[in-house]
Amino acid sequence: MAHKIAVIPGDGIGPEVISEGVKVLQCVSKLDKSIQFEFTNFPWGCEFYLKNGKMMDDDGIETLSKFDAIYLGAVGYPGVPDHISLWGLLLIIRKSFDQYVNIRPVKLLTGAPCPLKDKNPEDINMIFVRENSEGEYSGSGSWLYKGKPNEVVIQDGVFSRVGCERIIRYAFELARTEKRSLTSISKGNALNYSMVFWDQIFKEVSEEYPDVKTYSYLVDAASMLMVTKPERFEIVVTSNLFGDILTDLGAAIAGGMGLAAGANLNPERTYPSMFEPIHGSAPDIAGKQCANPLAAIWSASQMLDFFGYTEWADRLIEAIGALLIEKKSLTPDLGGSAATWETGDAIVDYLQKQYS
Ligand code: NAI
Ligand code: MG
C-alpha cells in the first residue's frame, strides 16, 4: 500500500528544496516497485497567513492526522512575525502529534566543507536526540502589565518525569543498538530545578543500560568541545533549546545548513512523524534556485528509514556523498554553481545508474 505523505513546502526556499526531495522519493518508487507514495500538497505557511489570517486550515491537524508522514520545507517570512509562523504551524504539528523525538544527524561526509582544522569525517559523526515536546519550548508563561512600566514576562521551562524519561530512554536504546556512547548535555549548575532533574533522570535510566558508556557535560563546555574535540560525541541527548542551538553549531561543522537534516518522530506511530531540513526559509536566497536541496533529501532518507526501508535510506546518503566527492553538481553554498533542481537531478541520475 502507498504511504500517504502530506507535503507542506512552506515559505522561501521551502518549496524549492522540497520539490527536489519529492523528485528523489518518486525516483525510489520507480526503482523499487515495493515502495509507493501518495503525495498531497498543502499550501500552508506565511503567504496563506497573509490571505487567511492563519498559518493553516482550522481542521489542519485533523487533516494531517490521516497521513503516514509529513514532509515539510520551512516556515517563516518577513512580514509575518516569526513566533506566529513557528507556533501557528511547525510547533503545533510537533506538539499535536507528540513528536517528542527530534533526530538530527551531525555527520561530516567526505568532500563536505569543514571549518575545523585537522578534523575528518571520522571525527564528526554524531546523532543528536533532542527533546521535542516540552522543556524550554513548552509555550508556558505569561505577559503581565503589557506595555506598562511594570511589565513582566515569564517563560517557563517545563520538564516532566514522563517527558525526560522517554527521550533519555530513546537515546539509550539508540546508543545500545548502535553500540556507541551516549552523552547528556544539560546545565545543572545554573538551572537548579529543571536541569538537576534532567541529570537525575539520566543517571536513573543509565542504570538500566550498564552496557552503554555515558558522559554528562554542561552545555557551555559541550559547545566548546564540539569545536575542539567533536570526536568525543557519538549519540547525544539534550533538551529542546540546547538541542536547537547545538545542532546549528553541528550543521556548521558538518558542511553547513544546506546539509543538515531532521526528523520529528512519534516513535509509537500513533500519529504521523514529520521530516524537514533544519534550516529555515532563507529569504535572502529564496526564489533563485540556488538553495541546497541536500538537507531536504537527507530528511527524505530519514523518512525512508522510519518506514523501514533502511537500504534505500542508506543509498540516498551514499548518493549525497557521491555528489560531494564529484563536486560537479553542488549549489553555491558548497562552492558549486549548480541550480537547486540540478542537484536534485544529479541525485536521481546517481540512483538510476547504481540501482536500476
Ligand atoms: P535560515 O536557516 O533560513 O538561514 C540562515 C542562513 O543559511 C542564510 O544565510 C541562508 O541563506 C543559509 N541557508 C539556509 N538554508 C540553506 C540552504 N538549503 N542552502 C543554502 N543556504 C542556506 O535561518 P534564518 O535566516 O535565521 O531564518 C529565516 C526564516 O526561517 C525566519 O523566518 C525563521 O523564523 C525561519 N526558520 C524556520 C525554521 C523551520 O521552518 N524549521 C527553522 C529556522 C528558521
Ligand atoms: Mg533551529
Short mmCIF file of all heavy atoms in Angstrom, two decimals, residues 83 87 91 95 134-144 152-159 191 194 241:
data_model
loop_
_atom_site.label_atom_id
_atom_site.label_comp_id
_atom_site.label_asym_id
_atom_site.label_seq_id
_atom_site.Cartn_x
_atom_site.Cartn_y
_atom_site.Cartn_z
N HIS A 83 7.39 34.34 15.67
CA HIS A 83 6.74 33.50 16.69
C HIS A 83 5.35 33.07 16.23
O HIS A 83 4.85 32.03 16.63
CB HIS A 83 6.70 34.21 18.06
CG HIS A 83 5.82 35.42 18.10
ND1 HIS A 83 6.24 36.65 17.67
CD2 HIS A 83 4.54 35.58 18.51
CE1 HIS A 83 5.26 37.53 17.82
NE2 HIS A 83 4.22 36.90 18.32
N TRP A 87 4.77 29.07 15.79
CA TRP A 87 3.75 28.46 16.66
C TRP A 87 2.50 28.08 15.88
O TRP A 87 1.78 27.16 16.26
CB TRP A 87 3.40 29.41 17.82
CG TRP A 87 4.37 29.27 18.95
CD1 TRP A 87 5.42 30.09 19.23
CD2 TRP A 87 4.41 28.22 19.92
NE1 TRP A 87 6.11 29.61 20.32
CE2 TRP A 87 5.52 28.47 20.77
CE3 TRP A 87 3.63 27.09 20.16
CZ2 TRP A 87 5.85 27.64 21.84
CZ3 TRP A 87 3.97 26.25 21.24
CH2 TRP A 87 5.08 26.54 22.05
N LEU A 91 5.35 24.21 15.36
CA LEU A 91 5.31 23.75 16.75
C LEU A 91 3.97 23.09 17.08
O LEU A 91 3.92 22.15 17.87
CB LEU A 91 5.63 24.90 17.72
CG LEU A 91 7.09 25.39 17.65
CD1 LEU A 91 7.38 26.46 18.69
CD2 LEU A 91 8.09 24.23 17.81
N LYS A 95 3.71 19.29 18.53
CA LYS A 95 3.06 19.04 19.81
C LYS A 95 1.81 18.19 19.65
O LYS A 95 1.59 17.24 20.40
CB LYS A 95 2.71 20.36 20.50
CG LYS A 95 3.94 20.95 21.18
CD LYS A 95 3.67 22.33 21.75
CE LYS A 95 4.97 23.09 21.94
NZ LYS A 95 5.85 22.55 22.97
N GLU A 134 8.60 19.55 25.05
CA GLU A 134 8.37 20.37 26.25
C GLU A 134 9.61 21.21 26.55
O GLU A 134 10.06 21.96 25.69
CB GLU A 134 7.95 19.49 27.43
CG GLU A 134 8.88 18.31 27.71
CD GLU A 134 8.60 17.59 29.01
OE1 GLU A 134 7.43 17.42 29.38
OE2 GLU A 134 9.58 17.16 29.66
N GLY A 135 10.11 21.15 27.75
CA GLY A 135 11.32 21.90 28.10
C GLY A 135 11.14 23.39 27.94
O GLY A 135 10.10 23.96 28.27
N GLU A 136 12.15 24.01 27.38
CA GLU A 136 12.15 25.47 27.23
C GLU A 136 11.15 25.92 26.17
O GLU A 136 10.80 27.10 26.12
CB GLU A 136 13.55 25.96 26.84
CG GLU A 136 14.69 25.48 27.75
CD GLU A 136 15.27 24.13 27.31
OE1 GLU A 136 14.59 23.38 26.57
OE2 GLU A 136 16.40 23.81 27.71
N TYR A 137 10.70 25.02 25.29
CA TYR A 137 9.75 25.38 24.23
C TYR A 137 8.33 24.89 24.56
O TYR A 137 7.56 24.56 23.67
CB TYR A 137 10.18 24.79 22.88
CG TYR A 137 11.48 25.38 22.31
CD1 TYR A 137 12.23 26.33 22.99
CD2 TYR A 137 11.94 24.97 21.06
CE1 TYR A 137 13.41 26.84 22.47
CE2 TYR A 137 13.12 25.48 20.52
CZ TYR A 137 13.84 26.42 21.24
OH TYR A 137 15.01 26.93 20.70
N SER A 138 8.02 24.81 25.85
CA SER A 138 6.69 24.32 26.23
C SER A 138 5.60 25.32 25.86
O SER A 138 4.43 24.97 25.74
CB SER A 138 6.64 24.06 27.73
OG SER A 138 6.74 25.30 28.41
N GLY A 139 5.99 26.56 25.70
CA GLY A 139 4.98 27.58 25.38
C GLY A 139 4.24 28.06 26.61
O GLY A 139 3.24 28.78 26.50
N SER A 140 4.71 27.69 27.79
CA SER A 140 4.05 28.11 29.01
C SER A 140 4.68 29.40 29.54
O SER A 140 5.91 29.55 29.54
CB SER A 140 4.20 26.98 30.05
OG SER A 140 4.03 27.49 31.34
N GLY A 141 3.83 30.31 29.96
CA GLY A 141 4.36 31.56 30.51
C GLY A 141 3.27 32.61 30.57
O GLY A 141 2.10 32.31 30.33
N SER A 142 3.64 33.81 30.87
CA SER A 142 2.66 34.89 30.87
C SER A 142 3.33 36.24 30.62
O SER A 142 4.55 36.37 30.75
CB SER A 142 1.88 34.92 32.19
OG SER A 142 2.69 34.57 33.26
N TRP A 143 2.51 37.17 30.23
CA TRP A 143 2.97 38.52 29.90
C TRP A 143 2.05 39.48 30.66
O TRP A 143 0.91 39.68 30.27
CB TRP A 143 2.87 38.74 28.38
CG TRP A 143 3.66 39.89 27.85
CD1 TRP A 143 3.74 41.14 28.39
CD2 TRP A 143 4.47 39.90 26.68
NE1 TRP A 143 4.57 41.92 27.62
CE2 TRP A 143 5.03 41.19 26.56
CE3 TRP A 143 4.78 38.95 25.71
CZ2 TRP A 143 5.87 41.55 25.51
CZ3 TRP A 143 5.61 39.31 24.67
CH2 TRP A 143 6.16 40.60 24.58
N LEU A 144 2.56 39.98 31.74
CA LEU A 144 1.72 40.78 32.62
C LEU A 144 1.96 42.27 32.41
O LEU A 144 3.07 42.68 32.08
CB LEU A 144 2.01 40.44 34.08
CG LEU A 144 1.92 38.96 34.45
CD1 LEU A 144 2.39 38.75 35.89
CD2 LEU A 144 0.51 38.43 34.28
N VAL A 152 6.00 42.60 32.98
CA VAL A 152 6.77 41.41 33.39
C VAL A 152 6.49 40.27 32.41
O VAL A 152 5.33 40.04 32.06
CB VAL A 152 6.31 40.91 34.79
CG1 VAL A 152 7.05 39.63 35.19
CG2 VAL A 152 6.53 41.97 35.85
N VAL A 153 7.52 39.59 31.95
CA VAL A 153 7.27 38.36 31.17
C VAL A 153 7.89 37.17 31.90
O VAL A 153 8.95 37.28 32.51
CB VAL A 153 7.82 38.41 29.72
CG1 VAL A 153 7.16 39.49 28.92
CG2 VAL A 153 9.31 38.56 29.70
N ILE A 154 7.16 36.06 31.82
CA ILE A 154 7.65 34.82 32.44
C ILE A 154 7.57 33.72 31.39
O ILE A 154 6.52 33.50 30.79
CB ILE A 154 6.77 34.42 33.65
CG1 ILE A 154 6.83 35.51 34.71
CG2 ILE A 154 7.22 33.07 34.23
CD1 ILE A 154 5.79 35.37 35.79
N GLN A 155 8.70 33.09 31.12
CA GLN A 155 8.72 31.98 30.16
C GLN A 155 9.16 30.75 30.94
O GLN A 155 10.29 30.68 31.44
CB GLN A 155 9.72 32.27 29.03
CG GLN A 155 9.77 31.23 27.94
CD GLN A 155 8.86 31.56 26.77
OE1 GLN A 155 8.85 32.69 26.30
NE2 GLN A 155 8.10 30.58 26.32
N ASP A 156 8.24 29.79 31.08
CA ASP A 156 8.55 28.63 31.91
C ASP A 156 9.26 27.54 31.13
O ASP A 156 8.95 27.30 29.96
CB ASP A 156 7.26 28.00 32.47
CG ASP A 156 6.45 29.00 33.26
OD1 ASP A 156 7.04 29.74 34.06
OD2 ASP A 156 5.21 29.03 33.08
N GLY A 157 10.17 26.87 31.80
CA GLY A 157 10.70 25.61 31.26
C GLY A 157 9.91 24.50 31.92
O GLY A 157 9.78 24.48 33.14
N VAL A 158 9.35 23.61 31.12
CA VAL A 158 8.53 22.53 31.69
C VAL A 158 9.23 21.19 31.45
O VAL A 158 9.43 20.79 30.30
CB VAL A 158 7.12 22.52 31.04
CG1 VAL A 158 6.33 21.32 31.52
CG2 VAL A 158 6.39 23.82 31.37
N PHE A 159 9.64 20.55 32.52
CA PHE A 159 10.35 19.27 32.41
C PHE A 159 9.56 18.25 33.22
O PHE A 159 9.55 18.30 34.45
CB PHE A 159 11.79 19.39 32.94
CG PHE A 159 12.66 20.23 32.04
CD1 PHE A 159 12.54 21.61 32.02
CD2 PHE A 159 13.57 19.63 31.19
CE1 PHE A 159 13.33 22.39 31.17
CE2 PHE A 159 14.37 20.40 30.34
CZ PHE A 159 14.24 21.78 30.33
N LEU A 191 20.72 25.98 36.17
CA LEU A 191 19.28 25.73 36.14
C LEU A 191 18.99 24.69 37.23
O LEU A 191 18.96 23.49 36.97
CB LEU A 191 18.84 25.28 34.74
CG LEU A 191 19.06 26.36 33.67
CD1 LEU A 191 18.83 25.81 32.27
CD2 LEU A 191 18.16 27.57 33.91
N SER A 194 15.22 22.44 36.77
CA SER A 194 14.99 21.63 35.56
C SER A 194 16.17 20.74 35.22
O SER A 194 16.01 19.54 34.95
CB SER A 194 14.67 22.55 34.39
OG SER A 194 15.72 23.47 34.17
N LEU A 241 15.76 23.44 23.79
CA LEU A 241 16.52 24.65 23.44
C LEU A 241 17.99 24.34 23.15
O LEU A 241 18.53 24.77 22.12
CB LEU A 241 16.44 25.64 24.61
CG LEU A 241 17.35 26.88 24.54
CD1 LEU A 241 16.92 27.81 23.41
CD2 LEU A 241 17.32 27.64 25.86
#
